[in-house]
Amino acid sequence: MNETQAQTDDTSAGTPIIEVSSMHKWYGDFHVLSDINLQVKSQERIVICGPSGSGKSTLIRCINRLEEHQRGQIIVNGTELTNDIKNIEKVRAEVGMVFQHFNLFPHLTIIENLTLGPIWVRKTPKKEAEEMAMMYLEKVHIAEQAEKFPGQLSGGQQQRVAIARSLCMKPQVMLFDEPTSALDPEMIKEVLDVMIDLAEEGMTMLVVTHEMGFAKSVADRVMFMDEGQIVEQNNPHDFFDNPQHERTKLFLSQIL
Amino acid sequence: MSNPTTKATREFLKPPVTEVGVIGWLRSNLFNNWYNSLLTVIVMLLFWQLIPPAFSWAFVNSVWNTSAEVCRETDGACWSVIPQNINFIFFGFFPEDQQWRPGLAMVLLIALVVYSKNRNHWKKSLGIYWLINLVVMASLMYGGIFGLPVVETDQWSGLPLTFMLALFGIVAAYPIGVILALGRQSKMPAIKTLCVVYIEMIRGVPLISLLFMSSVMFPLFLPDGVTLDKVLRAQAAIILFSAAYVAEVVRGGLQAMSRGQFEAADSLGLNYNQSMRLIILPQALKIVIPPTVGVLLSVFKDTSLVVIIALYDVLKTTKVTLSNPKWTSYSTEAYIFLAVLYFICCYAMSSYSRKLEKELHTGH
Ligand SMILES: Nc1ncnc2c1ncn2[C@@H]1O[C@H](COP(=O)(O)OP(=O)(O)OP(=O)(O)O)[C@@H](O)[C@H]1O
Ligand SMILES: [Mg+2]
């Protein structure tokens, strides 16, 4: 397992898996994202932070086309996002997304939540999909809940199921939109631990979060956004100890 | 959670006697203040006045299966009007010696409906049973094979007609309604407009006028010599009418779905059909079970409106029976019977829907 991982490291590390260039987005007249340029290499872990309303969610939702951009280019895993619905579905299958409010499917059991994507999108045989789902449930330490419904789980458990659901699609990239901010403090750690494990296994991750501890220990790069622009990005050490921009300094002084 | 020391010393007192049991119930429900007590007394007096006479009319002084002459001698209910005319009430103008055919068809239909109630039976085989059953029922009703004489649809009447119009009305209107609701939410302007116009137009006219149109106006537009069966036209009118109402109910369910569910489905890479079929509709349709059942019950009851285009549903065949001078004075009994018949069907539907709702509940 580790060896094959290491091999793919050599070949794929360094090639950008997400390329956003001169991207703009408007909500009606409101210019929410302005001239976004972003390259994410395979296995890179990026944390995005910034004040409320700065466009963090919008940016990562553009990457799997939950939101449409109006100008510029977004290329994910070699596929450019345009109006072509087939391309969009292809990209979405390769990009996992974890939401603030989990968004599990309440009418399906946990295991059905996990196998749905593999069975219908990847055409995996049901039995195989279930075995894989159980493996990922074990990985997020929740295998014993497989037959329950989402409504019967705690918030932290639901979020771990949501992560496992994305992993079942064997995504190239995982997007996280404030995965812990709807959780009680004692549940935040169990979710962050799962995310740290994931990072250590070499998953490419884009994480919007206010958990600066996570950013310091896991991120390769921390990005600061304000008013729809990427103001500053740097490795976590320099970002936190030596911020360049006034707005970043102000933000960090408020949050730390 | 709980502290063991407090648990050991904690005393569990019984609630006071006046709060529980019969006395407690009476006190809190019927006599909890002076005007409720007054209402209770008045209602009890009314019951006392009404129930005993009604009971003796219906059950004590009544006759059950006699000739009309015997009925005249009694001052109770003459239930005889029903068994004495049951063949005509149930089967109308279907040839007397062939009435076993619609009878058998209805037994088959009811048996299959009962079988379909169990969710464990919802498999492919159930669809096949329904197809087979439909073919068998159609052959029984229409005849023309196995040496059964042909019975034209204008002779179909009574209960089989009511059941047929209601069942096909419901079974066809529901999926059409769902599709219309999805169409109304569509991002494609042409489809959306089409659905909105259709739904609003249909909802703007009463069913009676649709039935008239289908029976009087529609044939005018057909080329000479082409005729479309009258029962079929009425059936189509009922389906098209009900579908618009189902559509609006389903739209309510779709709007109640959170955006997160659509986004989660999208972000897995499911296409539109898959996300509707697997994620959105199962939840949305479940939310709107109660109002949907309301619409479907009206479909069932509205089938009686087909009398105005001279189709003889079970209500009309009963009326025809009552136009016989022998039985004219026993309309109360006949209509009570019909009311009970309708009630049983409607109650079965609504109680089944409640059971289904409970079964589909997954704790959210
Ligand atoms: N669907 C929408 N239509 C119009 N405006 C929107 C829409 N969604 C977001 N916005 C606006 O766009 C801006 C950026 O929103 P976004 O959700 O990306 O911010 P955010 O950085 O994720 O903030 P938070 O930390 O509060 O989640 C906000 O001003 C918001 O009001
Ligand atoms: Mg956000």
Side-chain angles (χ1 to χ4, degrees), chain B residues 26-342:
Chain B
L26 283 177
R27 270 178 67 109
S28 65
N29 289 297
L30 298 178
F31 296 102
N32 55 351
N33 54 37
W34 70 266
Y35 54 85
N36 275 354
S37 308
L38 186 70
L39 270 180
T40 303
V41 170
I42 292 174
V43 168
M44 272 161 66
L45 280 176
L46 266 178
F47 278 2
W48 184 249
Q49 287 293 311
L50 291 178
I51 289 179
F55 185 82
S56 64
W57 175 80
F59 298 108
V60 182
N61 300 328
S62 55
V63 290
W64 292 86
N65 192 2
T66 60
S67 66
E69 285 70 41
V70 178
C71 278
R72 307 220 187 290
E73 329 264 274
T74 58
D75 37 345
C78 170
W79 299 114
S80 314
V81 60
I82 296 135
Q84 292 288 316
N85 298 292
I86 196 73
N87 282 354
F88 188 78
I89 292 178
F90 273 6
F91 302 119
F93 298 106
F94 212 91
E96 216 45 268
D97 60 331
Q98 299 292 323
Q99 288 184 349
W100 63 271
R101 282 160 51 183
L104 183 59
M106 275 201 303
V107 170
L108 284 175
L109 180 71
I110 292 170
L112 195 54
V113 166
V114 170
Y115 180 81
S116 311
K117 281 176 75 171
N118 188 337
R119 283 207 308 139
N120 296 331
H121 296 158
W122 292 7
K123 291 178 246 164
K124 261 214 187 84
S125 54
L126 185 63
I128 297 169
Y129 295 158
W130 270 102
L131 271 182
I132 295 173
N133 205 7
L134 286 181
V135 172
V136 172
M137 282 193 301
S139 335
L140 277 170
M141 292 292 291
Y142 191 77
I145 51 169
F146 305 124
L148 298 173
V150 171
V151 179
E152 292 294 341
T153 54
D154 50 9
Q155 287 174 292
W156 297 10
S157 35
L159 210 49
L161 183 68
T162 297
F163 277 172
M164 191 188 93
L165 291 174
L167 185 84
F168 291 115
I170 288 170
V171 169
Y174 191 68
I176 297 177
V178 170
I179 291 169
L180 282 171
L182 290 175
R184 193 169 183 166
Q185 307 259 304
S186 168
K187 288 199 188 77
M188 281 174 266
I191 293 181
K192 186 178 170 137
T193 318
L194 209 68
C195 291
V196 172
V197 168
Y198 176 84
I199 291 169
E200 296 306 332
M201 256 173 44
I202 295 277
R203 288 188 344 137
V205 295
L207 176 56
I208 293 193
S209 63
L210 270 189
L211 286 169
F212 266 132
M213 277 196 261
S214 75
S215 89
V216 183
M217 276 170 56
F218 185 62
L220 299 180
F221 298 116
L222 286 178
D224 280 345
V226 179
T227 55
L228 204 61
D229 190 271
K230 190 157 127 193
V231 175
L232 216 59
R233 278 181 278 143
Q235 181 77 78
I238 289 175
I239 291 171
L240 295 180
F241 181 80
S242 318
Y245 285 84
V246 172
E248 284 302 276
V249 166
V250 171
R251 185 164 72 105
L254 291 174
Q255 280 175 345
M257 295 292 300
S258 76
R259 215 174 101 191
Q261 290 293 306
F262 290 87
E263 290 178 350
D266 283 349
S267 71
L268 281 178
L270 296 173
N271 62 33
Y272 177 81
N273 284 339
Q274 290 168 336
S275 80
M276 285 300 146
R277 189 160 47 88
L278 302 166
I279 309 298
I280 305 301
L281 284 178
Q283 297 181 62
L285 296 182
K286 191 180 81 184
I287 300 173
V288 294
I289 286 178
T292 309
V293 172
V295 170
L296 299 184
L297 288 179
S298 343
V299 176
F300 179 63
K301 290 179 291 183
D302 287 351
T303 55
S304 56
L305 292 175
V306 296
V307 304
I308 63 133
I309 56 167
L311 289 177
Y312 285 71
D313 79 314
V314 70
L315 183 63
K316 183 64 181 172
T317 54
T318 309
K319 262 191 158 147
V320 172
T321 305
L322 291 173
S323 64
N324 178 343
K326 268 208 306 189
W327 300 107
T328 308
S329 24
Y330 308 113
S331 55
T332 313
E333 289 85 342
Y335 287 135
I336 288 178
F337 170 73
L338 270 193
V340 170
L341 197 69
Y342 271 96

Side-chain angles (χ1 to χ4, degrees), chain A residues 27 30 32 50-59 67 178 210, chain B residues 259:
Chain A
Y27 283 123
F30 177 47
V32 56
S52 180
S54 55
K56 310 178 294 291
S57 299
T58 308
L59 171 58
E67 301 290 352
E178 304 199 26
H210 297 297
Chain B
R259 215 174 101 191

Side-chain angles (χ1 to χ4, degrees), chain A residues 2 6 33 134 256:
Chain A
N2 270 336
L33 292 177
M134 285 314 292
L256 291 178

Side-chain angles (χ1 to χ4, degrees), chain A residues 102 141 179 230:
Chain A
F102 334 133
H141 320 295
I230 299 175

